[in-house]
Amino acid sequence: MSDLTTTTATGAGAGAGAGETGASGDTGVDARLEGHRTELTGYCYRMLGSAFEAEDAVQDTLVRAWRNFDKFEGRSSLRSWLYRIATNVCLDMLNAGNKRARPVDLTDPTPLAQAALTPRPENVWLEPMPDGRVLPTVQDPAEAAVARESVRLAFIAALQHLPPKQRAVLILREVLAWKAAEVAELLETSVASVNSALQRARATLTERAGRVPDAADPLDEEQRKLLERYVKAFEGYDMAALTALLHEDAVMTMPPFDLWLRGTSDITGFMTTIGAACAGSRLVPVPANGSPGFAHYKPDPEGSGFVPWAVQVIDIQDGAVSGMHCFLDVERWFPLFGLPDRLPAATAGE
């Protein structure tokens, strides 16, 4: 964990503890802490709704743990101790009062005739997240399925309606399967308080539950064929074929713009008018938020090849595409997802 070592190299006594001293001990602490990075990032992402804030929160957590490792007495597991630190970091960040959202959470759908691309600040929006940064490898298929479902955009958006401590309780109890007593100890409260918070959180999520996308882990044969047809229709800009694949109430969102569209006619109408520059685009599969996703490259208007345009997160419901969530801030998203900054013209027709 060279970044942590660099950050804390001047900290008095940092990194020594639990019988580990000197440079080799520091390396051992780094490795033990780093082993929890992915699951902590998933936890902080669920808490905060922001990929970048989650990574900042985890970095802060690991730095604090590194500096104070000599005070870790082993009365709880290292994992529990790290979750306590991460929870406090997230609660501090949430005290600022910011609540992230999707366009569908902020306004009504806009008819195509009134469509206008009005941006809102970055800190308004729920952000996408690469699966590899938040989903640790687990052997239990049921556990893996719960983890994926719990980073879906709809679930993360619903969590934003919970007060911060209720949010932590629900994630720890329902997603991470902690016992009520363990959560009570972490939050320094009573089991009764934890159970009450969980009950209230469940009630709020039930109220906020909208259409639930179908499970997509792994994709079944029907879903794979649907996505293959989606790519073919989108890249060919075949609106008739695309319409046949969309749920009748499908939605299309485009953060940082608050505009969102509902229904096949408005979606395809937008694509052939305001979005006409995307004709001839290329889609590259990329896993995001436990869902099918694509890196969307559109033709370079200044030459050959293709340039980044959006990260798409796709919802599937009842055998049709029910959501196309297009995140357009490519200077943020493409590096986060490890995507190239252009595709050569040779990809055309492949």
Side-chain angles (χ1 to χ4, degrees):
M1 197 184 307
S2 58
D3 51 348
L4 288 186
T5 305
T6 300
T7 302
T8 62
T10 59
E20 297 174 287
T21 59
S24 61
D26 289 352
T27 301
V29 172
D30 284 353
R32 292 179 65 186
L33 297 179
E34 188 65 28
H36 295 274
R37 181 181 289 274
T38 300
E39 65 170 314
L40 289 172
T41 304
Y43 175 63
C44 293
Y45 175 64
R46 296 178 185 101
M47 286 289 291
L48 301 170
S50 163
F52 294 101
E53 287 184 359
E55 296 202 330
D56 287 346
V58 171
Q59 190 65 12
D60 191 2
T61 296
L62 296 181
V63 168
R64 293 187 190 189
W66 202 96
R67 286 176 171 160
N68 292 284
F69 199 80
D70 58 337
K71 300 176 185 177
F72 174 56
E73 299 175 350
R75 288 180 293 184
S76 63
S77 70
L78 175 61
R79 181 172 183 257
S80 296
W81 186 58
L82 289 172
Y83 270 94
R84 180 192 295 272
I85 299 171
T87 299
N88 289 331
V89 170
C90 289
L91 292 177
D92 287 344
M93 294 173 73
L94 289 168
N95 281 339
N98 184 48
K99 182 174 72 174
R100 291 180 178 266
R102 303 166 299 173
V104 298
D105 302 317
L106 299 178
T107 67
D108 291 329
T110 303
L112 178 61
Q114 301 172 20
L117 297 178
T118 305
R120 295 204 188 189
E122 172 276 323
N123 63 0
V124 169
W125 301 117
L126 193 70
E127 297 179 347
M129 177 64 97
D131 283 0
R133 290 180 180 256
V134 292
L135 297 176
T137 301
V138 296
Q139 300 301 318
D140 184 349
E143 186 179 344
V146 169
R148 284 186 175 275
E149 292 301 306
S150 69
V151 294
R152 302 288 283 273
L153 288 172
F155 184 76
I156 301 295
L159 288 175
Q160 303 301 300
H161 295 281
L162 300 177
K165 285 195 175 180
Q166 282 187 31
R167 199 178 308 179
V169 167
L170 186 130
I171 296 167
L172 291 166
R173 293 283 282 119
E174 301 278 275
V175 177
L176 301 176
W178 285 40
K179 297 177 181 178
E182 294 172 326
V183 178
E185 181 180 0
L186 183 147
L187 294 176
E188 298 181 341
T189 188
S190 67
V191 169
S193 177
V194 166
N195 289 335
S196 176
L198 179 59
Q199 186 177 13
R200 295 196 303 274
R202 285 171 172 168
T204 299
L205 288 194
T206 299
E207 285 179 17
R208 295 287 177 177
R211 253 182 352 202
V212 179
D214 294 344
D217 178 34
L219 292 170
D220 61 30
E221 185 64 22
E222 181 181 350
Q223 290 170 331
R224 283 195 295 271
K225 289 181 178 179
L226 173 67
L227 290 171
E228 288 172 1
R229 295 195 297 272
Y230 172 80
V231 170
K232 183 177 180 181
F234 196 100
E235 292 187 343
Y237 237 56
D238 184 337
M239 295 299 114
L242 186 61
T243 297
L245 302 176
L246 294 177
H247 194 283
E248 61 180 5
D249 289 328
V251 300
M252 181 178 183
T253 67
M254 294 161 282
F257 301 113
D258 58 12
L259 169 73
W260 66 280
L261 304 162
R262 185 195 297 279
T264 56
S265 61
D266 278 357
I267 290 173
T268 57
F270 179 90
M271 291 176 65
T272 54
T273 54
I274 298 174
C278 290
S281 292
R282 293 292 175 264
L283 299 182
V284 177
V286 58
N289 289 88
S291 305
F294 298 98
H296 174 187
Y297 292 83
K298 71 173 185 176
D300 187 344
E302 299 180 359
S304 62
F306 304 86
V307 293
W309 182 246
V311 169
Q312 296 185 7
V313 181
I314 303 297
D315 292 334
I316 297 174
Q317 185 184 27
D318 302 329
V321 173
S322 59
M324 302 162 60
H325 306 289
C326 307
F327 295 89
L328 304 181
D329 191 352
V330 295
E331 291 184 358
R332 289 164 60 81
W333 307 129
F334 274 56
L336 179 72
F337 280 80
L339 294 163
D341 59 7
R342 67 180 295 108
L343 294 181
T347 59
E350 290 183 359

